Amino acid sequence: MYNIRLQDFEGPLDLLLFFIQRDEIDIFDIPIAKITDEYLEYVRQMDEVDLDGVADFIYMAALLIHVKVRMLLPKPEVDEEGEIIDPRQDLVERLLAYMRYKEAAEGLDVLHKKRGSLFTRGKASAPEIERDVVDTIVNTTVFQLVSALGRILAEASDAPTLAVEEVEYKVADQRAFVAEALSRKEKVVFGELVHDAPKRFVIATFLAVLEMAQQGLVWLALTPEADDFYVRHLSDPLQNGDLRLN
Amino acid sequence: MITEDDLPESDDRLRELARAIEALVFAADEPVEARQIASVVSEVSQGPPPTEEAIREAVDFINAACEQQERPLRIRQWAGGFRMTTTEDVAAYLKVYFRSDRRQKLTRSLMETLAILCYKQPATKPEIDYVRGVDSDYALRRLLDMGLIAVLERSDAVGRPLLYGTTPRFLEEFGLSGLDQLPNLREIEELLSDPSFSQARASLLMMQGIQQQEPPEPRDSQEES
Amino acid sequence: MITEDDLPESDDRLRELARAIEALVFAADEPVEARQIASVVSEVSQGPPPTEEAIREAVDFINAACEQQERPLRIRQWAGGFRMTTTEDVAAYLKVYFRSDRRQKLTRSLMETLAILCYKQPATKPEIDYVRGVDSDYALRRLLDMGLIAVLERSDAVGRPLLYGTTPRFLEEFGLSGLDQLPNLREIEELLSDPSFSQARASLLMMQGIQQQEPPEPRDSQEES
């Protein structure tokens, strides 16, 4: 058995391609039973692969087994015109397409490296003029603004994983959660509110709090240490002039 | 005019030093000190570092060549280091370029700061720092300079920090008639919740009703057939 | 060498245009398009804008002079505009000066995603996922953050997924003036008949210090399947 590491492969197609290249297999006539067994053998040792990749490898395993089973059918499958369908056809097409782009990626890498030895002007070098700052026109859309907000929130979290066992936390639910907490206590520290909770919970709660603040239902104030903030219940939402709408 | 004939024997070394200096000073993000140049050149050439005098001579050589060729760039020594700038006589071009032709894109840090401010104003700097997880000092100053935000008042909180908010100019630049025209959080969810846009981000943002988009060739059918 | 004697009468105009271009391209933070140069020059000179051909001629003039003078700077045509960069032969100095690569390294998964996008754009996430056989969510988000790709529009397909494409910044980062400068995707037949096809990956893995046994006996796959 070859001592290879799954993380050296970009994904299941890359791994299959490796088998094919290594064993000089005719890509148009893949010995599916053999390659499936070999593939499964590698996938079994997959403990080291991070969760992100597992689903993709397992999906391919299922697909390979399925093709293998179809190959074993006593009567070959036929399409509408009575032509025999090779169960491997889709897989082969995918492998071929992947090969082309994989090679293109290597080509891009070469371009990128070449470009890497050309340097553009650094910040120290600059034109000797006074820039008219106030006259700059902002070339940005509201969508970009919203994306920026999304980015802040997304980056507050760990690297995302595939939604395997993730529980969904909805902003609406978290609003109720916050409201409930504030019904017991007029003022809570955000950090305590979400103490030890999963990131998704924290973010949903944060969004809920932001939303409530925007609607004047709560008021946010920084704690004296400035490392957390209070969420305070506002009894009379009409008082709130916090958002200067227009 | 300085030509090859006028130069001493060390011509080649001077030229190579000048090339290194011109490239370094052009690409650096900070003024480059003579000793930095010396150490880089010494490391690359595997030889002794050039003296400060040699470096100065090479800079003069570059500037003399630029002047002789009427090129609009010079290397100047400022704040203890060398940097490259344009000559004054081309300032007119640059003024026109920077004024009208360059629609300035807001950098990411400016965008983030603005995004927080427009949804949560008035806000203090510590509040913005908290949400962004980084210091927003520079971003706030730039946005103030650009007239997109303003100091509204002082907060009642400890230390009475300044409260920032967006300006009418912000609305104008973003084509909004009022702050209430900003997408609300529900709409943000919708904007960002497109399943193919970014599922991880979307789910992080607690988007609802996300379904994994099927690939063009339906995977399910193969499993079912 | 291009000297004043060799130049036509319009010498002065060419020189002044070259000066304007060199200053603008030096000062700009992004590639400057010919039409931007034309409009700035026209405004400053209060005359007709220079033609694209004249601009190109002036750029060639600058580059020829730089080459003749052995200066380490050149103006390149990237992403539909002009950009000033150092030459390759001084890269050693800059790499030592900056120590690490200032540019972000692109991982294989980012490269693959980019490769698919630049040949197949606009493309949706499911399309990219399908070709790669893996979820490209993270790769797409990284590339969006790096500004190498952008959402172009929404597809008309079910669910109206977003369509991604490469940005001018991608062209700049890869030193391309346009997408048409990308090498053609190789045809399958050509790829398969390339003798390096079967060895490439094996040798790569060997280089990484991964032990490998001899491949099995060469065999006729027709018989075995």
Side-chain angles (χ1 to χ4, degrees):
Chain A
M1 175 121 195
Y2 295 92
N3 179 16
I4 61 170
R5 301 177 307 165
L6 278 176
Q7 56 266 54
D8 291 328
F9 297 93
E10 269 311 302
L13 290 172
D14 200 18
L15 178 61
L16 285 176
L17 211 54
F18 168 71
F19 292 144
I20 288 165
Q21 292 181 327
R22 185 197 58 190
D23 299 345
E24 292 173 29
I25 290 170
D26 177 359
I27 198 161
F28 295 106
D29 194 9
I30 299 172
I32 206 82
K34 177 175 176 289
I35 219 162
T36 301
D37 293 344
E38 201 160 12
Y39 180 88
L40 290 176
E41 187 55 44
Y42 283 112
V43 170
R44 267 182 218 114
Q45 314 166 345
M46 211 164 51
D47 326 342
E48 346 107 59
V49 175
D50 57 25
L51 193 65
D52 277 12
V54 172
D56 300 318
F57 278 99
I58 295 202
Y59 167 73
M60 182 56 71
L63 201 145
L64 282 170
I65 292 168
H66 182 68
V67 173
K68 185 176 157 184
V69 169
R70 281 169 68 196
M71 296 285 288
L72 296 174
L73 289 179
K75 255 203 292 184
E77 297 165 61
V78 289
D79 65 15
E80 290 142 5
E81 275 128 44
E83 300 267 325
I84 293 178
I85 299 171
D86 187 335
R88 298 169 296 185
Q89 191 184 330
D90 285 344
L91 180 65
V92 170
E93 276 166 15
R94 286 186 70 174
L95 281 168
L96 289 174
Y98 178 70
M99 263 174 63
R100 297 181 80 192
Y101 289 108
K102 192 185 149 192
E103 195 197 45
E106 283 157 14
L108 277 186
D109 202 31
V110 171
L111 285 179
H112 194 245
K113 286 216 173 75
K114 235 169 105 185
R115 165 69 177 82
S117 53
L118 308 180
F119 291 73
T120 52
R121 178 175 66 78
K123 291 193 204 98
S125 303
E128 203 153 73
I129 54 154
E130 282 172 27
R131 294 199 196 180
D132 204 350
V133 183
V134 180
D135 267 2
T136 28
I137 304 157
V138 178
N139 189 15
T140 311
T141 64
V142 172
F143 180 77
Q144 288 169 303
L145 195 67
V146 167
S147 301
L149 186 70
R151 211 157 46 210
I152 306 165
L153 296 167
E155 283 190 356
S157 75
D158 295 323
T161 55
L162 280 188
V164 182
E165 14 80 299
E166 300 288 350
V167 186
E168 283 285 288
Y169 296 103
K170 296 184 175 160
V171 174
D173 297 343
Q174 296 316 106
R175 285 181 62 125
F177 168 77
V178 173
E180 200 268 334
L182 288 174
S183 71
R184 279 179 280 127
K185 223 170 136 188
E186 193 200 0
K187 186 168 88 174
V188 292
V189 177
F190 183 78
E192 289 170 12
L193 202 60
V194 296
H195 185 63
D196 270 354
K199 291 274 182 202
R200 283 154 181 266
F201 181 94
V202 177
I203 291 163
T205 311
F206 180 75
L207 272 181
V209 166
L210 259 189
E211 194 179 84
M212 290 166 85
Q214 195 193 16
Q215 291 164 356
L217 300 171
V218 298
W219 172 239
L220 309 179
L222 222 60
T223 56
E225 300 78 26
D227 59 351
D228 206 336
F229 62 93
Y230 296 115
V231 184
R232 206 177 73 201
H233 181 60
L234 280 182
S235 45
D236 181 5
L238 292 179
Q239 280 177 354
N240 116 77
D242 311 324
L243 259 199
R244 305 174 314 135
L245 294 180
N246 247 346
Chain B
M1 176 180 174
I2 297 174
T3 66
E4 289 179 30
D5 302 337
D6 303 335
L7 287 164
E9 307 179 312
S10 58
D11 180 25
D12 280 353
R13 267 233 305 279
L14 175 71
R15 276 181 185 274
E16 183 58 19
L17 181 57
R19 288 164 57 72
I21 293 172
E22 187 166 352
L24 285 171
V25 169
F26 168 78
D29 283 331
E30 292 162 2
V32 189
E33 291 171 34
R35 54 164 190 79
Q36 289 174 293
I37 294 169
S39 114
V40 167
V41 169
S42 156
E43 188 172 334
V44 171
S45 68
Q46 302 278 320
T51 62
E52 202 171 318
E53 207 197 321
I55 290 169
R56 224 169 274 282
E57 195 189 336
V59 169
D60 290 345
F61 170 73
I62 295 167
N63 282 336
C66 282
E67 203 169 326
Q68 194 269 322
Q69 293 265 314
E70 298 185 350
R71 304 193 61 186
L73 305 177
R74 297 289 184 279
I75 293 178
R76 312 239 150 115
Q77 192 166 14
W78 280 355
F82 297 102
R83 54 197 297 269
M84 193 180 283
T85 77
T86 50
T87 52
E88 258 174 47
D89 57 348
V90 289
Y93 296 111
L94 298 166
K95 270 192 181 141
V96 170
Y97 175 72
F98 283 111
R99 192 193 63 231
S100 62
D101 243 8
R102 196 171 84 151
R103 290 177 62 84
Q104 190 167 350
K105 261 216 159 105
L106 291 182
T107 63
R108 176 173 168 170
S109 83
L110 298 192
M111 284 293 279
E112 287 185 3
T113 307
L114 203 51
I116 293 164
L117 260 180
C118 69
Y119 281 97
K120 192 186 146 18
Q121 58 184 295
T124 65
K125 179 177 169 300
E127 287 170 323
I128 296 161
D129 291 350
Y130 180 81
V131 176
R132 292 190 57 217
V134 294
D135 186 72
S136 302
D137 187 60
Y138 172 78
L140 285 171
R141 271 188 299 127
R142 282 287 294 143
L143 291 170
L144 282 169
D145 277 353
M146 297 172 91
L148 295 175
I149 65 168
V151 174
L152 304 180
E153 56 192 311
R154 269 184 195 279
S155 146
D156 289 333
V158 185
R160 299 185 51 73
L162 298 175
L163 286 166
Y164 297 90
T166 57
T167 60
R169 187 182 155 84
F170 159 76
L171 295 176
E172 200 184 302
E173 288 293 344
F174 283 80
L176 299 165
S177 65
L179 282 174
D180 52 350
Q181 282 214 320
L182 279 170
N184 62 33
L185 283 171
R186 290 266 166 259
E187 284 161 344
I188 293 175
E189 288 185 19
E190 208 178 294
L191 270 172
L192 298 179
S193 76
D194 189 297
S196 63
F197 178 61
S198 161
Q199 278 169 27
R201 182 191 292 174
S203 56
L204 281 166
L205 282 165
M206 296 310 105
M207 303 307 130
Q208 291 150 29
I210 292 166
Q211 299 271 303
Q212 170 105 24
Q213 194 82 22
E214 288 302 324
E217 317 275 350
R219 294 173 162 190
D220 287 347
S221 65
Q222 297 181 338
E223 273 147 33
E224 283 160 17
S225 59
Chain C
M1 178 181 176
I2 297 173
T3 66
E4 290 180 30
D5 301 338
D6 302 335
L7 287 163
E9 305 179 313
S10 58
D11 181 26
D12 281 353
R13 266 233 307 277
L14 176 70
R15 277 183 182 273
E16 184 56 21
L17 181 55
R19 287 166 56 73
I21 292 172
E22 188 166 351
L24 286 172
V25 172
F26 164 80
D29 287 325
E30 54 191 11
V32 189
E33 289 169 37
R35 56 162 192 80
Q36 289 175 294
I37 294 169
S39 118
V40 169
V41 169
S42 155
E43 187 172 336
V44 171
S45 67
Q46 301 279 320
T51 61
E52 203 173 317
E53 207 196 320
I55 290 169
R56 223 169 274 281
E57 195 188 338
V59 168
D60 289 344
F61 170 73
I62 295 167
N63 281 336
C66 282
E67 201 169 327
Q68 194 271 323
Q69 294 264 312
E70 297 185 351
R71 304 194 62 185
L73 304 178
R74 297 287 184 279
I75 294 178
R76 306 189 195 256
Q77 199 164 7
W78 283 346
F82 297 102
R83 191 91 162 101
M84 191 179 287
T85 77
T86 56
T87 51
E88 257 178 44
D89 56 349
V90 290
Y93 298 110
L94 296 161
K95 281 179 179 157
V96 168
Y97 177 76
F98 290 114
R99 288 292 158 204
S100 59
D101 234 334
R102 269 204 306 182
R103 309 168 75 225
Q104 269 166 312
K105 258 226 154 81
L106 295 176
T107 61
R108 270 188 69 203
S109 84
L110 297 191
M111 278 297 184
E112 275 188 20
T113 307
L114 260 183
I116 294 164
L117 261 179
C118 70
Y119 284 100
K120 217 171 127 60
Q121 59 186 309
T124 64
K125 177 175 175 298
E127 285 168 337
I128 297 162
D129 288 351
Y130 186 75
V131 173
R132 296 190 58 219
V134 296
D135 184 48
S136 302
D137 185 69
Y138 176 75
L140 284 173
R141 266 188 310 124
R142 283 286 296 140
L143 294 170
L144 279 170
D145 275 353
M146 296 169 90
L148 297 176
I149 65 167
V151 173
L152 303 181
E153 55 188 315
R154 273 178 196 280
S155 143
D156 288 332
V158 184
R160 299 186 50 73
L162 298 174
L163 287 167
Y164 297 90
T166 57
T167 59
R169 196 186 154 83
F170 158 76
L171 295 175
E172 199 196 322
E173 286 295 315
F174 284 76
L176 299 165
S177 69
L179 285 172
D180 51 352
Q181 283 214 317
L182 281 168
N184 288 332
L185 268 185
R186 278 217 288 173
E187 291 305 324
I188 302 288
E189 297 73 29
E190 206 184 326
L191 262 179
L192 291 175
S193 59
D194 189 332
S196 68
F197 166 66
S198 52
Q199 280 125 39
R201 189 51 183 274
S203 60
L204 183 72
L205 290 172
M206 300 269 276
M207 268 163 52
Q208 290 169 349
I210 292 156
Q211 292 158 13
Q212 233 182 334
Q213 299 168 352
E214 286 303 311
E217 294 286 310
R219 50 192 194 81
D220 187 351
S221 54
Q222 307 282 44
E223 286 164 21
E224 288 199 9
S225 60

